Amino acid sequence: MDISNKTIYYSGINALRLEWPAELSVKYGVLITFNEGEEDSNEVKYEVLVTRLKPGPEGQPLFQIERIGDVFINEILPDLVADRLAYAAGKVFYPLVITVDQNGGFQTVYNHAEILKRWQSVKNKILSDFEGSLVENYIEQMEKLLGNPDSIQIALLNDWFIQTFFKPLYKEYGQHRSSGSIYKFPIAKGFNVEGYITEEKLSGQTNSFGAIELLHNGIIKPLEDDLYIANRATGDYEGNYLLHPKYKRIISVVSDFSYGAPIISKVKVKITVIPKSGEEFDRDFQLDTNVTGVPVTEMVVIDGQTSRKGFWDRLLNK
């Protein structure tokens, strides 16, 4: 039976528990738009492969993130020297292995030693492709960053994919399927804010696409400090997470952020599963009740020249 024609009440009435099998990889497309609709808008696209690894020696939940292919800025490869240099140097971090907490939230970089070993080859490649004082200064700053695991940790707080995808979603949501948390995202960098105080609402049944829906609605929570009363930051956050009905892993995320202190900035983040070539959308989209998932043939092409229409509309039931 087509899952879109049947309402599924999934197990774990007021909680989410991730059941992503170890050594299973899922490919995602990432689209980040800065100041959409404005003159200074910019769009970044890339693909990642996320793999759930076996737990670490102390039982740490581990995930590996790999960048696949190129990063596109406004539909083209980076053309400014500074952008190309940053992209070339950033390759040293991948594959990146991170630890997450028991709720799925990003914790630490796990493979720091491997990153350090990769640096020499990445550095040699940079020196062969670039020249000038800008390059020398950039390498110096990178080596300071890489030598300190805490600095890498702080740098990844500005990674939109990690900070959107690896949030503590897997937890109890209370009797009425809702809870509240304070979440930080890269857009709110000021010292005068704690983050977005966020109401989280977990659906009690699958949507028409067959996915579990988790909705976030947040507003900036300023620090309770008299120094910031005259210039309090404001902003909103809205996130829509669609999760696999059986394994609870992310199928897609669409999040909108605004932050004003005092100039308003906006960011939109879209992350969605990309099926393997020749396969239906997430072919294991099947519940214990043997309700078969919806075959989705219209997918977004992250780095191609054209995109088939209809995938996002169908996925988000718009």
Side-chain angles (χ1 to χ4, degrees):
M1 179 181 293
D2 192 325
I3 212 170
S4 63
N5 295 324
K6 183 178 178 63
T7 298
I8 302 298
Y9 294 86
Y10 50 85
S11 60
I13 296 176
N14 299 316
L16 289 175
R17 295 289 180 263
L18 182 61
E19 299 178 38
W20 188 322
E23 302 184 339
L24 176 69
S25 300
V26 180
K27 186 178 180 182
Y28 291 92
V30 183
L31 173 63
I32 306 169
T33 307
F34 300 91
N35 294 327
E36 185 176 37
E38 305 293 336
E39 290 185 2
D40 60 344
S41 66
N42 287 287
E43 183 182 87
V44 177
K45 294 181 180 181
Y46 57 91
E47 296 178 2
V48 295
L49 188 70
V50 180
T51 305
R52 175 75 180 269
L53 302 179
K54 292 180 179 179
E58 298 178 6
Q60 310 98 312
L62 301 177
F63 283 86
Q64 178 175 276
I65 305 164
E66 299 176 75
R67 285 272 180 93
I68 302 173
D70 295 312
V71 174
F72 289 79
I73 300 176
N74 298 327
E75 302 293 347
I76 61 174
L77 292 172
D79 55 353
L80 298 177
V81 172
D83 288 339
R84 291 193 292 115
L85 181 57
Y87 175 51
K91 291 181 178 180
V92 72
F93 294 108
Y94 299 96
L96 175 68
V97 180
I98 65 170
T99 67
V100 300
D101 61 29
Q102 296 301 317
N103 303 123
F106 168 68
Q107 275 194 321
T108 63
V109 175
Y110 185 76
N111 64 333
H112 178 243
E114 293 178 10
I115 292 171
L116 286 179
K117 289 179 182 178
R118 284 199 290 265
W119 171 242
Q120 191 58 52
S121 61
V122 172
K123 176 181 176 180
N124 291 340
K125 176 66 173 172
I126 292 173
L127 290 173
S128 68
D129 293 344
F130 300 87
E131 59 182 18
S133 59
L134 176 63
V135 179
E136 295 173 0
N137 292 336
Y138 201 94
I139 287 178
E140 181 180 352
Q141 293 301 317
M142 278 294 295
E143 290 183 339
K144 288 181 180 179
L145 172 67
L146 295 175
N148 186 341
D150 291 337
S151 296
I152 298 177
Q153 181 87 1
I154 293 171
L156 290 179
L157 296 178
N158 293 319
D159 185 294
W160 274 104
F161 174 77
I162 290 176
Q163 295 303 319
T164 304
F165 192 91
F166 293 100
K167 283 300 183 193
L169 310 179
Y170 304 99
K171 58 186 178 182
E172 301 287 339
Y173 281 89
Q175 183 177 0
H176 302 291
R177 295 186 179 278
S178 64
S179 64
S181 302
I182 295 179
Y183 288 144
K184 285 194 173 182
F185 295 95
I187 192 173
K189 300 178 181 179
F191 293 104
N192 59 336
V193 298
E194 292 186 36
Y196 294 87
I197 183 166
T198 302
E199 181 183 20
E200 305 158 286
K201 292 184 178 180
L202 177 64
S203 63
Q205 61 192 54
T206 54
N207 66 3
S208 61
F209 183 76
I212 298 169
E213 192 167 26
L214 177 63
L215 300 178
H216 285 182
N217 284 282
I219 58 172
I220 283 290
K221 179 176 174 56
L223 288 176
E224 299 299 328
D225 192 320
D226 292 341
L227 293 175
Y228 300 117
I229 289 178
N231 187 27
R232 288 209 164 175
T234 60
D236 301 292
Y237 157 53
E238 181 177 322
N240 186 335
Y241 288 80
L242 297 185
L243 308 174
H244 193 290
K246 181 176 180 180
Y247 299 106
K248 312 304 187 295
R249 61 176 172 263
I250 291 173
I251 297 172
S252 78
V253 186
V254 178
S255 295
D256 287 277
F257 307 87
S258 69
Y259 179 70
I263 299 173
I264 296 177
S265 299
K266 297 183 294 181
V267 177
K268 177 185 286 289
V269 177
K270 294 182 180 180
I271 303 169
T272 185
V273 165
I274 298 178
K276 294 180 180 179
S277 179
E279 292 185 359
E280 294 179 353
F281 173 79
D282 204 354
R283 61 193 177 102
D284 62 357
F285 205 50
Q286 186 174 346
L287 299 177
D288 292 329
T289 51
N290 293 320
V291 179
T292 304
V294 181
V296 177
T297 57
E298 295 181 319
M299 61 167 287
V300 64
V301 180
I302 292 298
D303 291 329
Q305 296 298 317
T306 60
S307 297
R308 295 181 182 178
K309 296 181 179 179
F311 175 76
W312 279 102
D313 289 342
R314 183 171 184 178
L315 185 61
L316 301 177
N317 192 30
K318 291 182 177 179

